[in-house]
Amino acid sequence: MTRPSTFRRLFVILTTALVLASPSTIAEARSAPGRTAPKPVRTWTGTWEAAASDTAPALPGASIRNVVHTSVGGRAARVRLSNRLGTRPLQLGSVTLALQRPGEPESPRAVAGSVRAVTFAGARSVTVPAGRDLVSDPVVLSVPADANLLVSVHTPADSGPATHHRSALQANFIAPQGDRTAEESGAAYTTTIGNWYYVTGVDVLGPPAAGSVVTLGDSITDGTGSSFSANRRWPDRLAARLRGLPADRRAGVLNAGIAGNRLLLDGRGPSALARLDADVLSRAGVRALIVLEGINDIKGTPAQTDPRALENAYRLLVRRAHSRGIRVIGATITPYGGHGAYTPAREAVRQAVNAAIRTHRIFDGVADFDAAVRDPAFPSRILPAYDPGDHLHFNDSGMRALGDTIDLNALLPPRAARQPTPGTLLRRLSPR
């Protein structure tokens, strides 16, 4: 190993140790020589996620500024970058992390003094092999909860198809030429896009936390129908509710939704079964998983006509999650009457799958999304007040109703509490 490489690794180890040590702990150790200070308990928790959905053309020579929204905060962060769907090694010239100017969700401007270099084993530049993900070194930055971060990436060369998340529902930015990752003003970022490039997650380091909750789903979880750059997807609403709990129960929420995703077959993104490891099991501090998948299997091509196939897939997801100690909540499939793909035969499959979710004890709990948003007069349809017009997705009010459906105590019971038996129904709150 060369001396520069050794120095970089030692620097990362020292930086991490300083991040892990709280000021109060250091002070106590100094003031009481001979006493063994208690070790601070600090863990990595996922605060934001975007699942890799497909690829887009590379942007050689450009800088891309991704805007991501935290669910929980911490005193340090690390960034997850992906070349998972790429076919060639990905060259990253530089990466930075910063706080976005508050109150400017559609601006590339950073808070003055907040831009931090992101390193990988101490190095500013890195090459990510095709098919691989990468987690950065710790970045010392006070990260607030419920705030926007800027993850800026410079790609100096054409590295082939770029792994991205197609439907960000968030303004992101491109500086067409040069390494602009450290720029605070954002003036060079003249192009706005609606995709997240390369970045697939942010973790934070902080006090003892309740871990994280992953929401695995399709376009409904991804947020289609909700307001742009406003963070009003149902997982965002869930995160807001979790922030109201005591500090040691404020779990992060990781949105692993992909518009067009299916449970059984690859399509828009790998199937839920195929991507479970990458998008759920590999994430930091995961304690619970909420699954809302199946409508694209029922209405897609080829259409899934056997409810038992979906039930068996759910059971496989649950077994794999349970092997990691993760609770799994199953969400019933929401109505889509009036949509162009609706047929009575497909509706019968949806009803059969929902009956299995409610009564066959597949999951540790059930979030009855269907009951929360259906029109009592026409149960195969969404309530008009929740329908953005396509009879499948949800507007902001509908997203709020979904996020309010989940019983937080059943989702994340206190660690000392007895675990509910599989099949326990989650309390459904009235939409408001």
Side-chain angles (χ1 to χ4, degrees):
M1 182 179 294
T2 65
R3 286 187 177 182
S5 177
T6 302
F7 175 78
R8 288 192 191 108
R9 291 184 181 277
L10 289 174
F11 176 78
V12 171
I13 292 170
L14 178 60
T15 301
T16 304
L18 291 173
V19 169
L20 286 168
S22 68
S24 61
T25 302
I26 294 171
E28 181 179 350
R30 287 175 175 170
S31 62
R35 290 177 55 189
T36 302
K39 293 182 179 180
V41 179
R42 297 184 183 276
T43 57
W44 287 106
T45 298
T47 188
W48 175 86
E49 175 180 358
S53 65
D54 49 7
T55 62
L59 298 169
S63 296
I64 306 143
R65 181 153 284 183
N66 300 280
V67 180
V68 308
H69 190 73
T70 65
S71 53
V72 291
R75 62 185 301 162
R78 62 187 185 189
V79 177
R80 294 173 180 261
L81 299 170
S82 181
N83 191 24
R84 191 185 312 161
L85 305 179
T87 57
R88 292 160 52 186
L90 167 63
Q91 297 180 46
L92 298 176
S94 63
V95 181
T96 63
L97 179 67
L99 305 178
Q100 187 189 49
R101 288 273 294 265
E104 300 181 9
E106 297 189 4
S107 165
R109 291 194 287 181
V111 171
S114 72
V115 178
R116 302 287 188 274
V118 177
T119 61
F120 307 86
R124 288 286 305 271
S125 60
V126 68
T127 298
V128 188
R132 297 287 296 277
D133 294 340
L134 191 65
V135 182
S136 77
D137 301 330
V139 179
V140 181
L141 177 68
S142 181
V143 176
D146 191 24
N148 282 353
L149 303 178
L150 305 175
V151 180
S152 303
V153 177
H154 173 54
T155 52
D158 187 347
S159 296
T163 297
H164 81 155
H165 183 90
R166 179 184 295 267
S167 182
L169 285 175
Q170 169 64 53
N172 301 292
F173 307 95
I174 296 173
Q177 296 294 328
D179 181 358
R180 306 292 186 172
T181 57
E183 184 181 287
E184 289 183 348
S185 71
Y189 290 89
T190 55
T191 301
T192 301
I193 57 172
N195 327 103
W196 285 306
Y197 272 73
Y198 303 116
V199 60
T200 59
V202 177
D203 304 330
V204 291
L205 187 69
S212 57
V213 176
V214 181
T215 61
L216 182 65
D218 49 39
S219 56
I220 294 172
T221 300
D222 209 6
T224 302
S226 63
S227 295
F228 192 76
S229 293
N231 301 301
R232 291 179 181 168
R233 312 163 190 87
W234 72 260
D236 296 316
R237 172 58 182 166
L238 174 62
R241 295 180 60 217
L242 287 166
R243 286 193 294 271
L245 296 179
D248 63 347
R249 300 195 61 221
R250 293 174 191 163
V253 175
L254 303 180
N255 189 332
I258 296 177
N261 198 231
R262 298 173 68 138
L263 179 63
L264 296 168
L265 300 177
D266 293 347
R268 179 61 57 79
S271 72
L273 286 173
R275 64 191 183 94
L276 184 68
D277 284 322
D279 292 341
V280 180
L281 303 184
S282 69
R283 299 291 163 160
V286 180
R287 284 187 61 196
L289 167 65
I290 303 174
V291 178
L292 175 59
E293 289 268 12
I295 188 60
N296 291 321
D297 298 81
I298 293 170
K299 72 176 185 62
T301 302
Q304 180 54 247
T305 59
D306 183 1
R308 292 172 297 181
L310 276 74
E311 180 176 347
N312 290 338
Y314 292 143
R315 292 189 185 278
L316 178 56
L317 285 175
V318 171
R319 285 198 299 272
R320 292 175 61 192
H322 280 178
S323 71
R324 303 291 187 91
I326 299 170
R327 292 173 58 79
V328 188
I329 306 305
T332 51
I333 300 172
T334 52
Y336 74 114
H339 186 270
Y342 177 88
T343 68
R346 291 174 175 176
E347 173 66 6
V349 176
R350 186 183 76 90
Q351 293 289 353
V353 172
N354 281 350
I357 291 172
R358 293 183 180 109
T359 65
H360 289 190
R361 300 173 66 87
I362 302 168
F363 299 99
D364 300 305
V366 174
D368 202 342
F369 282 7
D370 170 52
V373 298
R374 68 191 178 208
D375 186 342
F378 305 97
S380 66
R381 289 176 173 260
I382 298 167
L383 272 169
Y386 297 157
D387 188 347
D390 65 3
H391 313 301
L392 173 64
H393 299 105
F394 295 91
N395 59 24
D396 293 351
S397 296
M399 291 290 181
R400 184 182 180 94
L402 295 176
D404 284 348
T405 299
I406 300 161
D407 182 345
L408 303 185
N409 290 321
L411 176 65
L412 290 172
R415 291 184 186 275
R418 184 176 179 179
Q419 296 294 306
T421 57
T424 301
L425 291 180
L426 295 182
R427 174 172 55 89
R428 179 171 67 84
L429 303 179
S430 299
R432 61 182 186 272

